[in-house]
Amino acid sequence: LTLSVLSPFRFAVCHPPRAWQPALLRRIGIDARSSLMANPFDVDADWIRSLDEVGSRELIARLCRAELRSQELSEVSTTWGGDSRAPDGGVDVRVTAAADPPNLSFLPGKDVAFQVKSEVFGPAKIAREMAPENVFRAALRELAEAGGTYIIASTRDSCSDSALADRRRSMTKCLEAHNVEDLSVEFFDSRRIADWVEQHPVVANWLRSRVGHPLTGWQTYGPWAYSEDDASRPYIVDEKVRVFTPDKDEGASVIEAITRLRHDLEARHPIRVVGLSGVGKTRLVQAVFDQRVQTSAVPPSTENVIYTDLADAPDPQPSVLINQLTRLGSDAVVVIDNCSQSAHARLAEIVRKAPCKLRLISIEYDIRDDLPEGTSCYRLDCASGDLIEKLLKARYPILSESDVNRIAECSDGNARVAFALAATAQGNGEFAALRDETLFQRLFEQKYSPNDELLRCAEIASLLYSFDAEDLGAESEIAL
């Protein structure tokens, strides 16, 4: 760190020892933890240039949808996809919005078509792209009739100002040569695309993961829940009442709870999902974003969520990341697992004061009632035996019907316990004949060697959970 301003006579450059730096920075009004910390959503143009053709097209599509969401326009108007090798008529990503975005938007109109190239795309290639074999593309003529904009986005190009002008000039000449009017043209190189990504933190987070530079502990939408490995796995709805929603003493069905969760997100209410370990809290939050789970409320976009588990020691910390999201005006949903009550209170206050539409969901086993004002709390009870049996049958086909019934009985509605037992299966039909003591040994040891000392520690610790802690009378267990 170089701090020439610390020298009162300005005769030398001062290099203070690292241990002194935070104190010295505070003396001149700089917070070392925030002001000098790199923006976690800064994007290196080299990351853009490293994308292949498929990744480049997906990036532009995600950017278009994010741009529409930020302007409160429907992202459904973005179309893209198909085999990258198939003829595309000169258009890889198309936006047909209901209204014109603001002037400062990276989408320069409501009708925009992108041709995405993962190669250096100089002026000589442009005319052949817009008019192959000297025939102007029909899709571009239709776009001109709508008064739209055609953009070539080259993820491999890194253009100087003059090189960029040459490419734009080549596009304009092609229009003139084929008597095409009312079509605006633009060229995006890797730096321009990187600048666009930096406007949308959730897309930046996806890009980081795609190119191998992920933020430590922070994930895009995926199989967050314990024992999940595929986000496309369908959510099995428990038909029995097991979710207690805000302001209601009676439990609601899972579908009712998901509906209300989606409404609370839309209203920007901080949300807290609590319940014992293994009852399906994280899996429920996953389902909130799943469009296949149909309710009367529209699910939030899976592309607009950032997730972390505090057990994974995320870097940056949630407060730093959320503060950065608010500065960027993000409307993302931040999901924080294993989040303590105090941490939720701090983060909920930041989100509540944010001028943007940032939203927060925290998940934890803590079921205390002293929640911050404005937080909507959802408490999950244990799953039904029927649901546990369905989950076991879907994930452990080696188990017999009697095995499934026995494990479901022992798990008492706790999916994590059920999965841990099922994972010890070595053959078909082995659980039905096992005694409770043997099942417990399997659950405790799982795939590890027996450890008597650890078992004694667990037995002593478990005594705390066997007391009746509500009866405080003279004859109570607590008094004894």
Side-chain angles (χ1 to χ4, degrees):
L1 181 66
T2 301
L3 293 175
S4 60
V5 293
L6 293 182
S7 173
F9 303 107
R10 300 185 182 179
F11 60 84
V13 173
C14 174
H15 299 277
R18 181 174 297 273
W20 297 2
Q21 291 172 12
L24 290 170
L25 288 169
R26 285 194 294 272
R27 289 290 298 275
I28 60 172
I30 298 176
D31 185 339
R33 292 173 300 175
S34 60
S35 298
L36 295 185
M37 181 174 293
N39 180 352
F41 302 112
D42 281 347
V43 174
D44 192 324
D46 286 341
W47 301 346
I48 306 295
R49 289 191 283 272
S50 70
L51 291 170
D52 59 14
E53 188 171 353
V54 174
S56 298
R57 296 170 74 200
E58 183 173 356
L59 174 62
I60 298 300
R62 284 177 175 266
L63 284 169
C64 290
R65 289 198 290 263
E67 192 76 21
L68 292 170
R69 282 196 307 270
S70 69
Q71 309 300 335
E72 299 185 349
L73 296 170
S74 173
E75 60 184 271
V76 176
S77 60
T78 301
T79 56
W80 74 290
D83 191 330
S84 61
R85 297 165 296 182
D88 53 30
V91 175
D92 287 316
V93 182
R94 179 72 184 266
V95 175
T96 309
D100 284 318
N103 292 334
L104 297 179
S105 171
F106 276 81
L107 291 177
K110 64 179 182 179
D111 291 293
V112 183
F114 286 87
Q115 179 66 48
V116 184
K117 297 294 181 182
S118 58
E119 60 182 287
V120 175
F121 215 71
K125 296 181 179 180
I126 288 176
R128 294 196 298 270
E129 174 59 38
M130 296 176 66
E133 299 182 0
N134 205 32
V135 177
F136 199 77
R137 290 188 183 274
L140 300 190
R141 286 195 182 275
E142 293 175 4
L143 186 63
E145 292 172 2
T149 302
Y150 174 64
I151 300 175
I152 296 178
S154 170
T155 56
R156 296 290 172 87
D157 261 309
S158 179
C159 299
S160 64
D161 185 65
S162 59
L164 193 59
D166 287 343
R167 285 159 173 75
R168 290 170 177 158
R169 194 177 299 116
S170 179
M171 297 176 78
T172 302
K173 286 182 178 179
C174 185
L175 296 179
E176 294 171 350
H178 294 275
N179 299 315
V180 177
E181 300 178 351
D182 299 326
L183 179 64
S184 300
V185 292
E186 185 56 273
F187 190 96
F188 287 4
D189 69 345
S190 58
R191 184 61 259 171
R192 182 75 180 277
I193 296 171
D195 291 342
W196 191 6
V197 174
E198 289 178 350
Q199 302 300 309
H200 301 288
V202 179
V203 180
N205 189 49
W206 172 84
L207 175 64
R208 277 179 163 274
S209 298
R210 180 77 185 223
V211 300
H213 296 281
L215 292 174
T216 302
W218 293 97
Q219 304 176 35
T220 57
Y221 180 78
W224 304 326
Y226 174 80
S227 193
E228 290 283 326
D229 55 12
D230 185 359
S232 65
R233 192 189 297 272
Y235 182 61
I236 301 177
V237 175
D238 195 342
E239 299 296 342
K240 296 188 177 181
V241 175
R242 54 186 290 262
V243 185
F244 291 85
T245 58
D247 307 323
K248 282 192 176 182
D249 295 329
E250 297 181 358
S253 70
V254 170
I255 292 299
E256 290 171 338
I258 291 175
T259 302
R260 179 151 183 181
L261 278 161
R262 289 171 175 175
H263 283 308
D264 278 344
L265 279 176
E266 183 66 24
R268 286 192 61 213
H269 294 158
I271 293 169
R272 187 152 174 82
V273 180
V274 299
L276 297 176
S277 177
V279 298
K281 301 183 297 295
T282 306
R283 189 64 186 88
L284 173 69
V285 173
Q286 268 183 240
V288 170
F289 298 86
D290 193 338
Q291 294 189 2
R292 296 169 299 177
V293 181
Q294 296 291 322
T295 74
S296 59
V298 178
S301 173
T302 57
E303 294 182 7
N304 201 28
V305 59
I306 302 178
Y307 168 91
T308 191
D309 185 337
L310 288 183
D312 295 334
D315 184 19
Q317 285 292 304
S319 59
V320 175
L321 183 127
I322 286 177
N323 273 313
Q324 189 63 43
L325 288 171
T326 61
R327 282 194 288 270
L328 293 171
S330 175
D331 65 342
V333 180
V334 181
V335 179
I336 303 178
D337 216 334
N338 286 308
C339 180
S340 69
Q341 181 86 323
S342 58
H344 171 87
R346 291 194 302 272
L347 298 175
E349 182 68 9
I350 297 173
V351 171
R352 187 180 67 81
K353 293 181 178 179
C356 59
K357 293 186 176 181
L358 191 67
R359 292 155 290 175
L360 172 69
I361 302 176
S362 73
I363 307 170
E364 223 233 345
Y365 66 85
D366 191 348
I367 56 174
R368 289 180 293 173
D369 295 328
D370 51 334
L371 287 168
E373 183 179 353
T375 290
S376 297
C377 183
Y378 294 77
R379 178 172 61 83
L380 273 71
D381 278 351
C382 292
S384 67
D386 292 341
L387 176 62
I388 296 297
E389 290 181 5
K390 289 178 182 177
L391 293 172
L392 290 171
K393 290 175 181 178
R395 303 188 190 196
Y396 298 94
I398 190 177
L399 299 176
S400 68
E401 188 73 26
S402 58
D403 288 335
V404 168
N405 294 337
R406 182 76 168 113
I407 293 174
E409 176 190 358
C410 291
S411 68
D412 196 24
N414 191 300
R416 184 167 297 191
V417 170
F419 293 157
L421 277 172
T424 67
Q426 298 177 350
N428 184 290
E430 62 177 305
F431 284 93
L434 295 179
R435 295 179 301 164
D436 287 351
E437 181 180 356
T438 307
L439 282 173
F440 170 78
Q441 289 174 350
R442 283 204 179 192
L443 179 61
F444 185 77
E445 295 170 3
Q446 296 183 37
K447 298 179 181 180
Y448 301 95
S449 301
N451 188 321
D452 290 338
E453 181 180 1
L454 187 62
L455 179 59
R456 286 198 302 273
C457 290
E459 288 172 341
I460 294 169
S462 70
L463 289 174
L464 295 174
Y465 290 90
S466 69
F467 285 118
D468 177 359
E470 295 184 1
D471 182 2
L472 304 179
E475 303 299 323
S476 67
E477 291 182 353
I478 290 294
L480 178 62

